[in-house]
Amino acid sequence: MLSFLQNSAYEIIATSIYIINFLIILNLIFREKRSIETIVAWTAVLTTLPAVGIVMYILVGRGVRKDNMFKIKEQEDKIIKKNIAETKARLKCSSMLDENLRDNIDMIDALTNSNNAHYTNNNSVDIFDKSRDFFDSLLYELKNAKNYINIQFYIFKDDVIGSEIIDILCEKAKSGVEVRLIYDAVGSRLLSEKTLLKLKKSGVKTGAFFPSLMKIVNFNLNYRNHRKIVVIDGNIAYVGGNNIGDEYLGKDPKFGEWRDTHLKLTGDCIVDLNTRFILDWRYTTQENLDLSKYFTKSQGSNIYYNKSSNNVGIQIVSSGPDITELDEIKYGYIKMIQKARKYIYIQTPYLILDRTLIDSLKIACLSGVDVRIMIPSKPDHPFVYWASCSYAGELLKFGAKIYTYGENAFLHAKTIVIDDAVCSIGTANMDIRSFELNFEVNAFIYSKEVSIKQRNIFEKDITNSKQMTIDMYNSRPKLIIIKEAVSRLLSPLL
C-alpha cells in the first residue's frame, strides 16, 4: 500500500489539484456569482496553470463574507433617509433657479438612490494638483485641531513625511484631542510596530483594516480599504489620491515626480465624509461610536440657492464589494460619460475597463464628444500597465485622444470632468479592481467654477505629456503586443 502511494503520488496530487480547481470554478459561478469576465479569466488560469492557479486564487481570488460589513443602526438610518427626503424636496425648488443643478438633477438622483449619497450645496473646494501643497495644508490643519481628528489612508508609512504627521497626531492626542487612525493592513504593511506602539501610548486610537495573522505576508490581498479621508473638528476634510509616504512628494527615484490630485473641503459635505469614516471605524475596531451626534450640522442646514464661490454642490459617494449588486462610483462615471456633450477628460493611473465603460466611451467618441484620457508614461505594476495600454489602444481606434504623462514622473490622479459642469475627484481608479474589489470614496462636484479649474489642470498636464497616436500604437513591437494580450486576458484579476 505504501509503495503504491509512493508510485502514484504524482497522479494523486495532480488529480487533487484538478478537482480543487474545478470546485473553485463552481464556487465562482454559483456561490460568489462573479462577472463573466472574471470567471473566464480565472478558468483560464486554473486550467492552464493548475498549481500556480491555486496559489494565485488563495492570494487574490478568494471571496470573503462581506454582507452588512458597515452596519447602520435603525435610528441612524431614519436620520439619513429623513435628510435625503428633505434634500430631494428642496432640490426640486432650487433646480428652478440653478441651471447647473437643473441640468444634473438626474445624476444627483441616480447617486442618491443607489448610494444614499446626500447632496449638499453650501460647500467650498480647494484642488491641490501638487502633493507638496496638499501636505502643507494637511500639516497646518492637523496642528490646529481642537476637538478631534479622524484620519484614514490606504498607505501610511513612517518615513519622513509620515513621521512628521505621526508626531502631530501624538502631540494632539496628549493635549486631549480625540485622534482615530485607520490604515489598511496590506497597503500599510511597512508601518512598524514601534510606531504603532508610540501612537497608542500617546492616546491615538488605531485600527488595521482587514488584517492577517502575518503582518508582512497578508493572504487577504483583495477587499482592501483604498479610501483616503481626513476630517478635522467637523470643519475641514480631505479626500483624494495621495497616501502618506515620501514617494508622494517625488522622493522615490523609481517614480520621480509624483502627480496627484487631492481635495480640501468645507461645508456640510464633511458630515457625509465623517459618516463614511465612522462606519469604517466601527467595522475595523468594533468601537460603537454614536453616528447620530455627527449629523448636527446637516440637521440644521438648508439647501439654498446662492451664486457665491463657496456654494458648491457635492455628493460624497462610496463604493465597495460589500454591496454586490451595485458599483456606485462606476455608475457615477458612466452617467457622466453619458451626459457629456462637449468633452470628457479623464486622468487615471490604471485604465482597465469592463464592457459597459469601454462601450460608453466609444459611443461618446462616435457622438463627437472630445474624449481625452491621460495615463502614466511608466508602470508601477507591469501587467496593469500593459493592460491599460491595450484598452487605450482600443479607444484610439474610435477617436479618443490618449496622453502619457511625463517621462520621469508617475500620474496617480483619479479625476474625470465633463463640459465645465461636473467633475469627480477621489480614490477610485478607472479600473475593475477599484469598482469590484476595493472600498473607495469620491466627491462628485456640481460646479462650473470647480469643473473649469479641473479642466485647466488637465490642459496644463497635457503640456507635460506625450500624445499616443494610432500610428504609434499600431507600430509597437510584437513583444509588447504579446504582453498586452496576456495582460488583458488577466485584467479582471489585476
Side-chain angles (χ1 to χ4, degrees):
M1 182 66 178
L2 181 60
S3 60
F4 170 78
L5 291 175
Q6 289 174 338
N7 293 334
S8 305
Y10 173 80
E11 288 84 355
I12 293 172
I13 293 172
T15 301
S16 299
I17 289 173
Y18 279 109
I19 291 173
I20 292 171
N21 286 354
F22 179 69
L23 293 175
I24 289 173
I25 294 169
L26 291 179
N27 180 66
L28 288 168
I29 297 171
F30 295 108
R31 189 167 179 267
E32 296 187 21
K33 299 179 181 178
R34 303 283 186 91
S35 66
I36 297 298
E37 294 86 351
T38 301
I39 294 171
V40 170
W42 274 118
T43 301
V45 171
L46 291 167
T47 54
T48 57
L49 301 169
V52 175
I54 289 179
V55 175
M56 287 179 61
Y57 181 78
I58 290 172
L59 290 175
V60 300
R62 291 179 302 131
V64 295
R65 184 173 179 81
K66 48 193 181 293
D67 294 335
N68 298 319
M69 289 179 70
F70 307 102
K71 295 179 181 178
I72 295 179
K73 299 175 185 175
E74 183 178 353
Q75 177 186 2
E76 297 164 348
D77 188 53
K78 287 180 180 178
I79 295 173
I80 291 172
K81 289 181 177 177
K82 180 174 180 287
N83 284 341
I84 289 174
E86 291 175 353
T87 298
K88 284 185 174 182
R90 295 189 186 106
L91 282 174
K92 289 182 180 179
C93 298
S94 299
S95 64
M96 297 172 64
L97 300 171
D98 187 339
E99 182 180 358
N100 189 57
L101 180 58
R102 182 171 64 249
D103 291 343
N104 295 299
I105 195 72
D106 57 335
M107 181 169 173
I108 293 170
D109 282 343
L111 292 175
T112 300
N113 293 330
S114 68
N115 194 248
N116 280 338
H118 185 222
Y119 176 87
T120 59
N121 73 344
N122 55 333
N123 304 292
S124 64
V125 176
D126 291 319
I127 304 178
F128 298 112
D129 62 332
K130 294 182 175 63
S131 295
R132 181 72 267 178
D133 293 342
F134 157 65
F135 281 111
D136 286 346
S137 176
L138 177 63
L139 291 168
Y140 174 82
E141 299 297 350
L142 288 174
K143 289 175 183 176
N144 286 280
K146 299 294 189 294
N147 300 309
Y148 69 84
I149 297 170
N150 291 335
I151 183 168
Q152 170 180 0
F153 283 93
Y154 171 64
I155 295 173
F156 202 121
K157 294 183 178 179
D158 45 10
D159 49 16
V160 176
I161 186 63
S163 295
E164 191 173 354
I165 291 172
I166 287 163
D167 288 343
I168 294 172
L169 297 181
C170 291
E171 179 185 337
K172 285 295 171 181
K174 288 177 181 177
S175 69
V177 174
E178 287 186 16
V179 182
R180 291 179 174 86
L181 166 65
I182 301 174
Y183 59 93
D184 186 85
V186 169
S188 301
R189 61 189 176 278
L190 299 181
L191 189 62
S192 69
E193 292 295 338
K194 181 179 178 182
T195 295
L196 290 171
L197 183 61
K198 174 184 175 181
L199 286 162
K200 292 173 184 176
K201 283 186 175 180
S202 299
V204 176
K205 295 182 179 181
T206 64
F209 186 89
F210 207 2
S212 175
L213 295 176
M214 292 183 287
K215 183 175 176 65
I216 300 298
V217 180
N218 193 315
F219 290 101
N220 300 315
L221 296 182
N222 283 340
Y223 310 112
R224 305 318 315 176
N225 197 319
H226 197 241
R227 295 168 181 147
K228 297 97 176 167
I229 298 172
V230 182
V231 180
I232 301 170
D233 293 343
N235 297 319
I236 292 166
Y238 296 89
V239 65
N242 285 289
N243 286 292
I244 304 299
D246 287 345
E247 67 264 37
Y248 295 87
L249 288 165
K251 295 182 179 180
D252 188 336
K254 175 185 175 183
F255 297 109
E257 175 204 351
W258 191 277
R259 171 64 190 87
D260 222 321
T261 302
H262 222 94
L263 296 177
K264 178 183 178 182
L265 306 173
T266 61
D268 278 1
C269 68
I270 292 175
V271 175
D272 302 303
L273 267 178
N274 226 2
T275 300
R276 179 68 271 159
F277 175 90
I278 293 167
L279 292 175
D280 286 6
W281 179 261
R282 279 184 184 172
Y283 172 77
T284 303
T285 68
Q286 305 304 311
E287 181 184 2
N288 191 19
L289 286 180
D290 181 11
L291 191 63
S292 61
K293 77 175 185 179
Y294 293 93
F295 290 129
T296 304
K297 287 185 68 176
S298 63
Q299 281 179 293
S301 67
N302 290 312
I303 300 299
Y304 58 90
Y305 174 69
N306 190 322
K307 286 189 176 181
S308 65
S309 60
N310 62 344
N311 190 51
V312 176
I314 295 177
Q315 282 178 295
I316 301 298
V317 180
S318 55
S319 66
D322 52 314
I323 304 177
T324 55
E325 297 85 4
L326 297 172
D327 297 317
E328 299 93 325
I329 292 177
K330 186 182 82 170
Y331 290 172
Y333 286 169
I334 292 172
K335 187 65 176 176
M336 289 178 70
I337 294 167
Q338 292 173 341
K339 287 178 66 66
R341 296 295 178 266
K342 299 176 182 177
Y343 74 84
I344 303 165
Y345 291 173
I346 297 170
Q347 290 177 311
T348 179
Y350 316 120
L351 186 69
I352 299 178
L353 308 174
D354 64 11
R355 199 72 258 161
T356 54
L357 271 166
I358 200 162
D359 284 345
S360 296
L361 287 167
K362 286 178 180 178
I363 292 169
C365 290
L366 293 171
S367 302
V369 178
D370 182 11
V371 177
R372 304 189 184 197
I373 301 173
M374 192 177 294
I375 59 176
S377 61
K378 61 165 68 175
D380 63 338
H381 304 295
F383 280 106
V384 177
Y385 179 76
W386 297 121
S388 296
C389 290
S390 173
Y391 287 101
E394 184 174 348
L395 289 171
L396 274 175
K397 299 172 184 176
F398 284 79
K401 298 180 179 72
I402 307 294
Y403 300 89
T404 57
Y405 181 82
E407 291 184 3
N408 185 31
F410 185 73
L411 177 71
H412 193 249
K414 305 100 165 47
T415 72
I416 175 171
V417 58
I418 64 165
D419 294 353
D420 290 353
V422 183
C423 65
S424 177
I425 299 172
T427 71
N429 301 308
M430 190 69 71
D431 71 349
I432 294 171
R433 175 163 290 274
S434 281
F435 299 141
E436 296 185 4
L437 297 176
N438 284 344
F439 297 94
E440 308 280 3
V441 62
N442 275 37
F444 284 80
I445 304 169
Y446 306 88
S447 165
K448 180 177 180 179
E449 179 184 1
V450 176
S451 296
I452 289 173
K453 285 181 181 177
Q454 179 53 40
R455 171 172 60 80
N456 289 337
I457 290 171
F458 186 98
E459 291 173 346
K460 182 181 70 174
D461 287 337
I462 287 178
T463 63
N464 191 34
S465 303
K466 291 182 179 179
Q467 186 171 354
M468 183 190 298
T469 66
I470 191 68
D471 290 337
M472 291 168 55
Y473 183 74
N474 288 337
S475 63
R476 67 201 188 282
K478 288 185 179 180
L479 180 59
I480 292 180
I481 294 175
I482 294 172
K483 288 179 178 179
E484 286 186 9
V486 174
S487 298
R488 181 154 179 157
L489 175 64
L490 298 175
S491 62
L493 316 182
L494 299 178

